[in-house]
Amino acid sequence: VVCSSTSCMGLCLMAVIMFFGGLFAAYTLYRGMYPEAVASTSKHMATWLGAVNTAVLICSSLTMALAVRSAQLGQRKLLIWMLIFTLFFGFVFLGVKAVEYHHKYVEHLIPGLGFQYPEDPQQFHHAQILFILYFAMTGFHALHMFVGVGILTTLIVMAVRNRFSPAWYTPVEISGLYWHF
């Protein structure tokens, strides 16, 4: 079976959508079934870190879009810089996520044998399930970002080696689709 890189990436992105869609559906159902547990566990979420990471992701999407445009126009130096900026934002995102995870570790909110939830013992099991969903969703997103960092590094090397032109920039464009997800 022969698969074009565009259609393969389309299949990959559909799989990602289905996977994350399942996680979001599980969270939504659990949120509706146990609103008290959600209210209780939300006190342990650093919304300001989430806001910072949202801004970082938006900036990285902008620099990735500018990288694609630079590749289309044959602007090699700008392409390299936009890819470097996108990579930088990827590392910032992962750094903020590490800070969030460290806070959960210090607070003993990582599900498993060491999980502690003394402020609301009635919500202990529901809280642990919500934290399982939190770590599944954010952990797989962080994994997605690690893969993206590898892809960006490869694109930077290719751009430095002058592999892209206005006639062929498909890897940059396809990688942009992956990054935006």
Side-chain angles (χ1 to χ4, degrees), residues 66-156:
L66 292 172
V68 172
R69 185 66 179 150
S70 299
Q72 290 171 336
L73 298 174
Q75 298 172 333
R76 182 174 160 261
K77 286 183 182 180
L78 188 57
L79 166 62
I80 293 167
W81 279 110
M82 290 300 109
L83 291 172
I84 289 170
F85 288 144
T86 306
L87 181 63
F88 169 77
F89 287 128
F91 281 124
V92 170
F93 174 89
L94 291 170
V96 171
K97 191 54 60 190
V99 168
E100 282 186 89
Y101 281 11
H102 177 73
H103 287 212
K104 302 295 178 281
Y105 173 78
V106 169
E107 296 176 3
H108 302 282
L109 294 174
I110 297 177
L113 295 177
F115 185 79
Q116 296 176 12
Y117 205 72
E119 71 267 9
D120 195 351
Q122 292 179 329
Q123 299 300 331
F124 179 86
H125 295 294
H126 298 305
Q128 190 161 233
I129 290 171
L130 284 164
F131 278 108
I132 288 170
L133 288 169
Y134 165 79
F135 280 107
M137 295 169 84
T138 60
F140 279 110
H141 186 229
L143 177 63
H144 180 84
M145 293 294 287
F146 272 116
V147 171
V149 162
I151 291 169
L152 286 169
T153 302
T154 302
L155 290 177
I156 291 168

Side-chain angles (χ1 to χ4, degrees), residues 38-57:
V38 172
S40 178
T41 57
S42 67
K43 296 173 189 168
H44 296 279
M45 300 297 167
T47 54
W48 71 274
L49 288 174
V52 167
N53 256 353
T54 299
V56 166
L57 288 176

